[in-house]
Amino acid sequence: MIQAESQLSALAEETGYNPKEVRQLARTSLDFLAALALPEIYKYAFPPLYLQFWEMLTTILGKPRDFSQFALGLPRGFAKTLVIKLLVLYAILFTSKRFILILCENEDKGKSILADVQDMLNEPNIVAVFGDWKVDAESMTLTRKKFSFQGKDIIIKCAGAGTGIRGIAEKFWRPDFMIFDDIQSREDSESEVLSKQLETWMTGTAMKAKSPEGCTFLFVANMYPTKGSLLRKLKSN
């Protein structure tokens, strides 16, 4: 962190921010964090709706032994997965969350999210402000990252929907932040049988793998116009 502080001081001179201001702005502003972590991607400010649910989710992530459950519906092309990636970064940088489990329709989509989170951690701005996360990295695969950073040990892991994740505990840890990102396809939502199977897996297998010390659950999806739409079922739950 000494080197990081030195880099941040140089950055502060160029930008006019001091180190504490940079961290505070990244903690409190979605737009600032996005600009810091994704300088080549972030171009437009997030609309009020995004800022509202960002504030709600980040507040909940900071609560001790909380088991809140959220379902968030946004159409395709509205950058919901981008915001989820930023939320994972936020959880790493600013919360006590230690085991983040990302569940997608298939493993490849989960790998893509992990890869993008890794790229954000590698972004020079993030390294300058928070330090190099790879210094104390223990294990790096396409589906699992385990490292020590910001004074805590962290595991980020992904898996596909319907897979056997029972007993996913590692080092006596269980997931304390569980994200379900587009785990249901449009085709599967048209089948009541497949929809029921997925719902049973989510509530009876995946969510039961939570940490007894608290776990935040976030379900993110499209609202399909079908009877088997899992988001539709959660909305009326």
Side-chain angles (χ1 to χ4, degrees), residues 126-232:
I126 297 296
V127 174
V129 175
F130 299 98
D132 188 348
W133 70 289
K134 299 188 299 296
V135 171
D136 291 316
E138 178 180 317
S139 174
M140 293 291 163
T141 68
L142 295 177
T143 60
R144 178 181 179 274
K145 318 290 182 186
K146 186 174 187 299
F147 54 100
S148 295
F149 190 53
Q150 297 292 294
K152 62 180 179 179
D153 294 326
I154 301 170
I155 294 175
I156 313 175
K157 197 168 186 176
C158 71
T163 57
I165 62 171
R166 190 183 300 276
I168 199 172
E170 296 191 29
K171 299 288 187 182
F172 302 104
W173 304 351
R174 287 182 175 273
D176 53 10
F177 185 19
M178 206 176 293
I179 300 171
F180 300 85
D181 183 45
D182 277 337
I183 64 171
Q184 184 183 46
S185 67
R186 168 65 183 264
E187 292 72 24
D188 286 351
S189 76
E190 295 173 347
S191 167
E192 279 286 358
V193 173
L194 293 177
S195 176
K196 184 61 179 177
Q197 289 177 349
L198 182 60
E199 183 181 9
T200 300
W201 170 83
M202 184 179 77
T203 59
T205 298
M207 294 179 72
K208 292 292 177 64
K210 66 183 181 298
S211 168
E213 300 302 319
C215 183
T216 304
F217 301 94
L218 176 59
F219 181 93
V220 188
N222 304 302
M223 178 68 83
Y224 298 125
T226 58
K227 290 184 178 179
S229 169
L230 195 51
L231 180 59
R232 186 181 300 276

Side-chain angles (χ1 to χ4, degrees), residues 47-186:
L49 176 64
Y50 283 63
L51 302 182
Q52 289 173 14
F53 71 67
W54 177 267
E55 182 179 0
M56 177 180 64
L57 291 171
T58 53
T59 299
I60 291 296
L61 285 174
K63 290 186 176 182
R65 206 171 190 278
D66 183 79
F67 294 92
S68 295
Q69 302 171 12
F70 295 93
L72 178 64
L74 289 170
R76 292 192 182 280
F78 276 67
K80 60 180 181 296
T81 299
L82 172 65
V83 174
I84 295 308
K85 295 169 184 175
L86 287 167
L87 192 62
V88 173
L89 178 65
Y90 179 95
I92 293 170
L93 297 178
F94 300 116
T95 77
S96 61
K97 299 297 185 184
R98 299 172 54 164
F99 193 160
I100 303 170
L101 179 61
I102 302 168
L103 301 164
C104 300
E105 179 187 351
N106 54 60
E107 189 178 84
D108 285 342
K109 290 184 178 180
K111 290 178 182 177
S112 177
I113 292 177
L114 258 64
D116 287 345
V117 171
Q118 179 173 322
D119 286 345
M120 288 192 291
L121 287 168
N122 286 333
E123 164 59 40
N125 291 339
I126 297 296
V127 174
V129 175
F130 299 98
D132 188 348
W133 70 289
K134 299 188 299 296
V135 171
D136 291 316
E138 178 180 317
S139 174
M140 293 291 163
T141 68
L142 295 177
T143 60
R144 178 181 179 274
K145 318 290 182 186
K146 186 174 187 299
F147 54 100
S148 295
F149 190 53
Q150 297 292 294
K152 62 180 179 179
D153 294 326
I154 301 170
I155 294 175
I156 313 175
K157 197 168 186 176
C158 71
T163 57
I165 62 171
R166 190 183 300 276
I168 199 172
E170 296 191 29
K171 299 288 187 182
F172 302 104
W173 304 351
R174 287 182 175 273
D176 53 10
F177 185 19
M178 206 176 293
I179 300 171
F180 300 85
D181 183 45
D182 277 337
I183 64 171
Q184 184 183 46
S185 67
R186 168 65 183 264

